[in-house]
Amino acid sequence: MRLILLGPPGAGKGTQAKLISKKYSIPQVSTGDILRMAVAEKTQLGIKAKSFMDKGLLVPDDVVIGIIENRLKDDDSKRGYILDGFPRTTAQADALSKNLKKMGAEIDHVIDIEVEYNELLKRLTGRRTCRKCNEGFHILFNPPKKEWICDKCGGELYQRDDDREETILKRFKVYQEQSAQLKDYYGKNGRFFSIKGTGGVKGVFDRIISILEYDNS
Ligand code: ADP
Ligand code: ADP
Ligand code: ZN
């Protein structure tokens, strides 16, 4: 199963991708996670990417397309994957289509998660992530048992540098200008679904499962 999750920053793509990954045993492929790892390791890629990420801007297409092409060659991608945060521009979507064609593969479902602006802002400002296992939390909506400690592995939680209000506003703008049009791009084929991203993590997951299990288009 090959899946794309679309949606603005904070819609719950990462949260849902982790649950889908567990249920179907396919990897979550998050360009944001791959880039943050490169930043933490201070690789050449990381140093370049950081200057864009800190400003809330997209990392250039050629860089992200290269990352994805390499990642999808890995053995664990053979049975499928969940793309979380990619594609984010039409050029990225075109590159993905070309790559899939070359590999004789197709995307099975594109799911767009919709959440309104004020809720997104609350989600992003309260987001916490585990440094060790990458599990996601929220100080109000999904709080860890102990502040700043991961329930799952005991690792330290951190707040992302780009989850400050001014950078968040920039990211929303970038989303509207460069990524929102992907809904039309994929809306033209029958495997596109738009769902409500509110009502708790479990409620959203149930909506996704019903698409994955019952859509035969
Ligand atoms: P969020 O889940 O909050 O939308 P991500 O973790 O997906 O954030 O992305 C964080 C940052 O990483 C983005 O603001 C951007 O700078 C960079 N990034 C991630 N994915 C892409 C992509 N497909 N194209 C360009 N930049 C990306
Ligand atoms: P994205 O990957 O789309 O940027 P995340 O999955 O990281 O979004 O979610 C953003 C924040 O919102 C996280 O702190 C997460 O715990 C929280 N969150 C995710 N889904 C929900 C939901 N359905 N209801 C309330 N909070 C949620
Ligand atoms: Zn952890």
Side-chain angles (χ1 to χ4, degrees), residues 67-80:
I67 290 176
I68 283 287
E69 287 188 353
N70 275 329
R71 178 65 184 86
L72 298 189
K73 278 186 206 146
D74 287 353
D75 267 354
D76 70 339
S77 306
K78 296 245 151 57
R79 289 188 51 247

Side-chain angles (χ1 to χ4, degrees), residues 8-10 13 30-33 35-36 52-53 56-59 64 84-88 92 124 127 160 162-163 171:
K13 301 179 296 296
S30 158
T31 38
D33 286 349
L35 290 168
R36 274 185 293 280
F52 295 94
M53 295 167 82
L57 300 173
L58 294 184
V59 172
V64 213
D84 156 17
F86 181 95
R88 261 179 154 96
Q92 292 177 20
L124 292 171
R127 170 157 66 187
R160 274 171 45 177
D162 59 351
D163 278 346
R171 283 158 64 210

Side-chain angles (χ1 to χ4, degrees), residues 39-58:
V39 170
E41 286 168 1
K42 298 196 169 67
T43 62
Q44 229 173 342
L45 164 69
I47 291 163
K48 182 168 182 199
K50 188 175 177 354
S51 60
F52 295 94
M53 295 167 82
D54 282 349
K55 293 190 196 101
L57 300 173
L58 294 184

Side-chain angles (χ1 to χ4, degrees), residues 153-184:
C153 79
E156 179 204 11
L157 302 185
Y158 75 101
Q159 178 169 28
R160 274 171 45 177
D161 287 341
D162 59 351
D163 278 346
R164 300 170 219 276
E165 193 156 335
E166 71 216 64
T167 320
I168 292 172
L169 298 183
K170 181 70 193 170
R171 283 158 64 210
F172 285 160
K173 193 158 172 262
V174 166
Y175 171 78
Q176 284 307 338
E177 289 174 359
Q178 302 189 58
S179 308
Q181 72 234 36
L182 290 174
K183 291 185 266 183
D184 294 330

Side-chain angles (χ1 to χ4, degrees), residues 1-6 12-28 79-84 109 111 113 195 201 204-213:
M1 181 169 60
R2 294 180 204 87
L3 258 184
I4 294 176
L5 296 184
L6 298 178
K13 301 179 296 296
T15 303
Q16 297 299 328
K18 287 186 183 69
L19 296 173
I20 301 165
S21 165
K22 208 164 152 200
K23 181 167 165 88
Y24 294 97
S25 305
I26 50 173
Q28 168 194 12
R79 289 188 51 247
Y81 42 77
I82 307 145
L83 294 179
D84 156 17
H109 310 274
I111 302 179
I113 309 178
I195 61 166
V201 170
V204 179
F205 188 51
D206 288 344
R207 275 170 226 142
I208 292 177
I209 295 303
S210 58
I211 292 170
L212 302 185
E213 303 276 324

